[in-house]
């Protein structure tokens, strides 16, 4: 059965552009409950750890630099079928391919600065949530 928790993070481009409120509103209106949320910033080293799965990809170094360039807003979200439904709400990685009305379609600047992260599995949702919040199991 699909889990009811996912992890997201509003990325530096969207925080810098003042879109935290608009994005958070869309998330809540889509039926997600925010269980944990904070404004923080990653060092380049922390960004590298978060995206370690991509370390062989050509965009890895740029991605780590970008993700540590400004404030981010990580959140733990709850909803039935959370992981899949949230990936639908944010749209494709490349905003030029993201469906109309998705968060990336509306707010992303580029394939790298694409406004928001969404976990790709129940397992990764817990790992990524724990990266920013303690006692994730209580959510
Ligand atoms: P998603 O965030 O949709 O799960 P990936 O896990 O494939 O996408 O990639 C992680 C992040 O790396 C993306 O959200 C984006 O910020 C960046 N990224 C992915 N592909 C590229 C690319 N071709 N060029 C630059 N940055 C990329
Ligand atoms: Mg991914």
């Amino acid at each position: 059965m699909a889990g009811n928790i996912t992890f997201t993070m509003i990325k530096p481009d969207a925080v810098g552009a003042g879109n935290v409120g608009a994005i958070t509103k869309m998330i809540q209106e889509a039926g997600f409950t925010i269980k944990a949320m904070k404004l923080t910033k990653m060092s380049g080293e922390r960004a590298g750890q978060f995206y370690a799965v991509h370390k062989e990809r050509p965009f890895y170094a740029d991605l780590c630099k970008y993700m540590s360039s400004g404030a981010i807003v990580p959140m733990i979200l709850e909803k039935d079928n959370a992981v899949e439904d949230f990936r639908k709400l944010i749209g494709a990685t490349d905003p030029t391919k993201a469906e109309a009305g998705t968060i990336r379609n509306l707010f992303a600047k580029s394939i790298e600065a694409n406004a928001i992260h969404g976990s790709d599995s129940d397992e990764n949702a817990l790992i990524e949530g724990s990266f920013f919040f303690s006692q994730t199991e209580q959510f």
Side-chain angles (χ1 to χ4, degrees):
M1 204 184 85
N4 62 348
I5 289 288
T6 194
F7 170 80
T8 185
M9 146 171 80
I10 304 178
K11 296 186 179 184
D13 60 296
V15 176
N19 289 325
V20 172
I23 291 172
T24 303
K25 186 163 187 265
M26 277 183 73
I27 291 171
Q28 289 177 308
E29 285 179 351
F32 293 87
T33 301
I34 299 171
K35 306 294 284 185
M37 178 178 184
K38 66 182 167 191
L39 182 81
T40 185
K41 193 168 182 288
M42 285 192 281
S43 63
E45 194 185 348
R46 285 268 295 166
Q49 287 163 7
F50 186 85
Y51 282 111
V53 62
H54 293 305
K55 64 176 181 293
E56 307 303 334
R57 309 279 288 275
F59 57 79
Y60 177 70
D62 269 358
L63 178 63
C64 296
K65 200 169 159 194
Y66 158 65
M67 286 302 300
S68 57
S69 68
I72 54 165
V73 177
M75 294 180 223
I76 291 173
L77 304 175
E78 184 179 70
K79 184 185 182 298
D80 289 346
N81 201 34
V83 167
E84 193 186 340
D85 287 1
F86 194 72
R87 294 288 305 201
K88 274 191 205 133
L89 179 66
I90 68 177
T93 308
D94 179 350
T96 66
K97 296 183 180 140
E99 251 181 76
T102 58
I103 293 175
R104 282 170 167 168
N105 168 256
L106 292 168
F107 299 106
K109 296 199 165 109
S110 67
I111 191 168
E112 178 183 75
N114 61 358
I116 193 158
H117 170 84
S119 301
D120 62 7
S121 67
D122 292 343
E123 188 191 0
N124 283 337
L126 289 180
I127 293 169
E128 292 170 358
S130 304
F131 194 85
F132 289 99
F133 301 99
S134 56
Q135 297 177 300
T136 309
E137 68 281 0
Q138 86 188 19
F139 302 113

